Amino acid sequence: MKRWYLYPFSLVYHLATATRNLAYSIGILKSTRFRTPIINVGNLSVGGSGKSPMVMYLADLLSQYYRTGVLSRGYGRQTKGYRITNYDSNYRQVGDEAMQLFERFKNRFVIGVCEDRVEGAKKMIPDMDLKVLLLDDAYQHRAIKAGFNILMTDYNDPYFKDFLLPAGNLRESRVGAKRAQVIMVSKCPDNLTEEKKQYYISRIKPTQNQKVFFSSISYDEKVFGKDGLGKPTELPDNNLAYYDILLITGIANPKPLLEHLSKFNKNFKHLKFKDHHNFTDADIKKIMDEYRKLGDYKLILTTEKDYVRLKTFDYLRGLIFYWPINLSIDKKEEFNQIIIDYVKQN
């Protein structure tokens, strides 16, 4: 959404961000380098652009070959400082994204949080004997020097059509895209044509040292939850047609989920909360009130990230399911090889 009346303030914002970036580029502000390979996943805009699925994909890939770590600031947590996610952790301590990663992968790789990425990396790399570190949403956090940058941009809202805050949604100028080695156009439709790909590449104007890839979100063929006794349970997605569904989302852009659910069930009720919403008892009461209005065969459906917060409420035990997502990348083998080669060479 463009807010043209705020454009004069965007000029001031541009001056501030450009000055800061220049200070890092010429060494006035310190950017710490590490001998361990560091891959940064980020974007130029505020809001969701598919960073979390990409981090999940990379961690899954690299942990097959190397001792891998993921470091984020732990957005939305109620704690401060450096923490490692483990079986005793919860979303209030480490944030919902760190818990989502741990719930799916357990100890396949190390998941840490620290608002100071330099401090976190200095502790996490030697303490956990990491061979590669992934930074989640640190494209503008230039105090740490990543050796490889992946810039995410939403197919439906690409950075080259956007403007700086507050008139637009860009955190920094489009020129910032030049720092990336890979630009990933995310959330693409399944029927994306070569002609459309070439259009996006022509607008991105990659340098000789940049590669452009295209990815889409794919949903699992099952939804998952736990029964009243805590036993894991699952339901095939085509069975969703037989239920009255209350959909709960607390993510930046729920539109793809709404479109996918509509393929199986068009008569669902959607309660939308802000991204990383910290659910309260009042929210749960509202959810239960809406749930009771549904028919005899009913369930509550949510995202994997929201599930790690909602499952902590006893009222929802045995009622709530989540729908996992995965990343599908066009030219997947080429992309994977670029990532593995970077780590191997460094």
Side-chain angles (χ1 to χ4, degrees):
M1 181 179 179
K2 309 304 179 286
R3 302 165 286 271
W4 298 112
Y5 58 93
L6 294 175
Y7 185 72
F9 297 99
S10 292
L11 296 177
V12 177
Y13 185 82
H14 172 63
L15 178 62
T17 55
T19 301
R20 177 179 179 271
N21 279 327
L22 178 62
Y24 274 113
S25 297
I26 65 178
I28 295 176
L29 293 178
K30 183 183 178 182
S31 188
T32 302
R33 293 176 179 269
F34 291 83
R35 295 182 63 184
T36 301
I38 294 180
I39 300 175
N40 180 19
V41 179
N43 58 4
L44 294 183
S45 62
V46 296
S49 60
K51 295 185 296 294
S52 295
M54 174 54 69
V55 169
M56 191 180 298
Y57 178 93
L58 291 171
D60 187 29
L61 169 68
L62 289 170
S63 62
Q64 299 174 46
Y65 308 97
Y66 304 102
R67 174 75 167 165
T68 302
V70 176
L71 177 62
S72 69
R73 60 175 170 163
Y75 185 84
R77 63 186 174 128
Q78 299 171 12
T79 61
K80 296 290 184 181
Y82 170 70
R83 285 177 176 263
I84 293 294
T85 309
N86 54 42
Y87 285 98
D88 295 324
S89 301
N90 59 57
Y91 76 93
R92 294 183 179 89
Q93 298 169 334
V94 298
D96 52 12
E97 290 172 340
M99 279 310 303
Q100 177 188 347
L101 277 173
F102 188 81
E103 291 283 356
R104 182 183 287 205
F105 294 102
K106 304 304 182 195
N107 290 319
R108 277 272 306 280
F109 46 84
V110 185
I111 305 160
V113 296
C114 190
E115 60 272 20
D116 185 331
R117 309 299 174 91
V118 176
E119 178 189 347
K122 284 181 176 179
K123 292 180 179 178
M124 192 172 174
I125 291 172
D127 290 354
M128 299 296 157
D129 191 28
L130 300 182
K131 304 306 179 188
V132 58
L133 178 65
L134 299 171
L135 297 180
D136 184 5
D137 194 15
Y139 200 79
Q140 285 75 37
H141 193 90
R142 299 192 61 186
I144 188 167
K145 178 68 174 178
F148 197 94
N149 290 285
I150 299 176
L151 179 67
M152 308 296 295
T153 187
D154 192 324
Y155 174 87
N156 297 297
D157 191 19
Y159 72 84
F160 57 75
K161 291 184 178 180
D162 208 345
F163 299 90
L164 279 170
L165 289 165
N169 291 314
L170 294 185
R171 301 175 180 179
E172 62 172 303
S173 166
R174 302 173 191 176
V175 176
K178 295 186 181 299
R179 299 199 304 274
Q181 283 73 37
V182 163
I183 298 175
M184 180 68 70
V185 183
S186 62
K187 303 180 182 180
C188 297
D190 295 333
N191 57 352
L192 186 62
T193 63
E194 286 299 322
E195 181 181 8
K196 201 68 174 178
K197 291 178 188 176
Q198 290 305 313
Y199 164 75
Y200 273 73
I201 292 173
S202 69
R203 293 297 305 273
I204 289 170
K205 298 183 177 65
T207 66
Q208 289 184 341
N209 298 319
Q210 289 180 317
K211 290 280 190 178
V212 179
F213 290 90
F214 297 84
S215 64
S216 59
I217 295 297
S218 61
Y219 287 83
D220 202 289
E221 295 181 349
K222 296 178 180 179
V223 298
F224 299 86
K226 291 183 178 180
D227 63 19
L229 299 176
K231 181 181 178 181
T233 183
E234 59 188 47
L235 187 69
D237 55 12
N238 53 17
N239 283 13
L240 293 174
Y242 305 114
Y243 289 83
D244 286 348
I245 296 175
L246 178 62
L247 179 66
I248 311 297
T249 63
I251 55 177
N253 179 19
K255 184 178 178 182
L257 175 56
L258 300 180
E259 292 175 349
H260 189 69
L261 178 56
S262 295
K263 297 176 184 178
F264 303 92
N265 188 317
K266 297 186 183 300
N267 299 314
F268 60 87
K269 170 77 174 181
H270 179 207
L271 290 183
K272 180 181 178 181
F273 297 86
K274 64 181 177 65
D275 195 18
H276 298 283
H277 181 69
N278 187 20
F279 291 98
T280 64
D281 289 337
D283 294 327
I284 303 305
K285 182 180 184 305
K286 180 179 179 181
I287 290 171
M288 291 305 300
D289 287 345
E290 292 295 335
Y291 177 75
R292 294 186 186 98
K293 295 176 185 178
L294 303 179
D296 293 334
Y297 296 97
K298 55 191 174 184
L299 60 84
I300 299 172
L301 184 62
T302 192
T303 68
E304 192 171 7
K305 185 169 74 171
D306 291 315
Y307 181 76
V308 301
R309 285 171 281 148
L310 289 169
K311 72 171 187 174
T312 61
F313 292 91
D314 291 339
Y315 289 111
L316 301 181
R317 186 174 298 168
L319 307 179
I320 188 166
F321 289 79
Y322 67 90
W323 210 337
I325 60 174
N326 295 294
L327 198 65
S328 298
I329 299 177
D330 185 45
K331 299 183 179 178
K332 172 183 174 180
E333 290 76 15
E334 180 184 353
F335 175 79
N336 288 359
Q337 197 61 54
I338 289 173
I339 299 301
I340 292 170
D341 285 347
Y342 161 71
V343 179
K344 183 187 299 184
Q345 293 164 11
N346 289 274

